[in-house]
Amino acid sequence: MAKLMNTLAPTLLCADIGGSHMRIAQVTPDLHLVERRQIATPRHDLTLFVDAFSQMVHQSPVGIEAIHLSLAGLQAPVTSECNAANIPCISGIALAPLLSQKLGMTVRIANDADCFALAEARAGAGMGHDNVFGIILGTGVGGGLVQNGRLIVGRQGLTGEWGHGPLLRSGDRDYPYLACGCGQSGCLDTIGGARGLEKFHFWRCEETRSSREIMTGWLSGEPSCQRTMEGYIDLLSDALAIMINVTGASCVPAGGGLSTVDDLIEALDRAVRKKCLCKTATPIIVKAKLGNDAGLIGASYL
């Protein structure tokens, strides 16, 4: 990756911790990522989690003064307690103070979607825009809001969660009313991510297809997949248009597995620009530029 200029004082270690893997890299003052390592995430044992992370840190060169983490979960701003559905061993744990004491250095943690949005706003697709709303279209949907280069962090660490809240209603003929992992029902997240798209396709067309197969069928003109994708794009663009109207975002970088389908991003953008109040001929929903490094780069800005 090309060097991304910035003015960081100490040399950092940044980590991107998800339910499957921990990735770590040394970040130089000009945001060059070196000394990359990756291991499987110990999800169910806190001691194993802390030990595994500590071992990766200790393998790094000397002179590291701080560690910044992009986490697939939330950290409460006041208590530092984490909530990570896919990493149950750290849920309810004040992870930053625990790691800081273990390693003897400063530890900062932020949500992975927030880190993604911050990276894309400062060094990616959102450069030059005052208001950037970064979205994740992956297994589920997530987001982060950056205004004037500053990450907006709301109550209990919650900001940009456009996938949650009862958007759909029981008895709707066009969309299923499904239980969501957040405890509510009818959230956009039940349909908006890859697993949700698969459930939506089965509900609408009674076909068991993977999200990749649905996308391929849509692009090749299969009627059932086209029917599913028509409803999917319509619903997601409704929600995104509201988010743009509320936040004033002029750029919405999209990351996650589904965002790799260029036709989907272009279709969402066309639909959104028809629905939001501020009319523009310039694309708003755009493909993210930093790829898998966005979490690590965004963490370096914390």
Side-chain angles (χ1 to χ4, degrees):
M1 166 161 305
K3 292 185 178 182
L4 303 169
M5 298 306 294
N6 192 26
T7 54
L8 296 174
T11 301
L12 292 172
L13 274 183
C14 290
D16 191 353
I17 300 181
S20 298
H21 297 98
M22 295 178 174
R23 296 191 303 132
I24 196 168
Q26 183 182 354
V27 183
T28 62
D30 59 0
L31 292 190
H32 196 117
L33 273 62
V34 297
E35 301 290 339
R36 298 171 183 260
R37 285 177 297 283
Q38 176 176 300
I39 61 171
T41 302
R43 300 172 56 238
H44 299 286
D45 187 304
L46 181 61
T47 300
L48 290 179
F49 178 96
V50 172
D51 288 347
F53 187 77
S54 299
Q55 287 176 14
M56 283 207 300
V57 172
H58 291 319
Q59 291 170 5
S60 302
V62 297
I64 302 298
E65 299 179 32
I67 302 175
H68 293 183
L69 276 68
S70 168
L71 178 68
L74 298 172
Q75 176 186 248
V78 177
T79 66
S80 295
E81 290 184 0
C82 293
N83 181 359
N86 293 324
I87 316 172
C89 70
I90 65 172
S91 288
I93 301 297
L95 185 62
L98 177 63
L99 292 177
S100 182
Q101 182 178 21
K102 173 83 173 179
L103 298 168
M105 61 184 71
T106 300
V107 177
R108 294 187 175 93
I109 297 177
N111 172 258
D112 55 354
D114 286 343
C115 289
F116 161 81
L118 189 57
E120 288 293 332
R122 290 193 181 184
M127 288 181 67
H129 292 265
D130 292 334
N131 289 2
V132 175
F133 181 60
I135 62 170
I136 301 295
L137 298 174
T139 302
V141 300
L145 178 62
V146 178
Q147 294 183 332
N148 298 315
R150 177 176 173 267
L151 180 66
I152 305 301
V153 180
R155 188 177 182 183
Q156 297 182 353
L158 291 163
T159 311
E161 293 290 347
W162 66 295
H164 294 285
L167 177 68
L168 304 170
R169 294 291 181 266
S170 177
D172 191 323
R173 294 185 178 183
D174 295 319
Y175 299 99
Y177 184 69
L178 304 173
C180 183
C182 73
Q184 301 187 93
S185 294
C187 293
L188 179 68
D189 194 62
T190 64
I191 292 176
R195 303 292 82 79
L197 176 60
E198 292 162 359
K199 293 176 183 177
F200 180 40
H201 184 71
F202 181 80
W203 179 86
R204 179 166 269 200
C205 300
E206 297 186 347
E207 293 179 349
T208 301
R209 307 280 289 272
S210 70
S211 59
R212 184 182 298 273
E213 290 170 339
I214 296 167
M215 289 291 174
T216 301
W218 172 54
L219 295 174
S220 64
E222 290 186 34
S224 64
C225 295
Q226 287 187 322
R227 183 166 172 253
T228 293
M229 291 304 298
E230 179 182 353
Y232 177 81
I233 291 168
D234 195 36
L235 183 65
L236 262 65
S237 61
D238 284 349
L240 286 170
I242 293 171
M243 290 302 301
I244 290 168
N245 288 343
V246 170
T247 64
S250 58
C251 181
V252 180
L258 293 176
S259 74
T260 61
V261 181
D262 292 343
D263 291 75
L264 173 60
I265 300 306
E266 293 170 6
L268 276 174
D269 177 64
R270 288 193 299 270
V272 164
R273 284 191 285 126
K274 290 178 181 177
K275 295 175 180 179
C276 60
L277 292 175
C278 183
K279 303 302 180 184
T280 176
T282 304
I284 300 175
I285 315 296
V286 297
K287 196 171 182 178
K289 289 187 176 180
L290 300 178
N292 290 332
D293 288 338
L296 291 166
I297 293 170
S300 73
Y301 287 120
L302 297 178

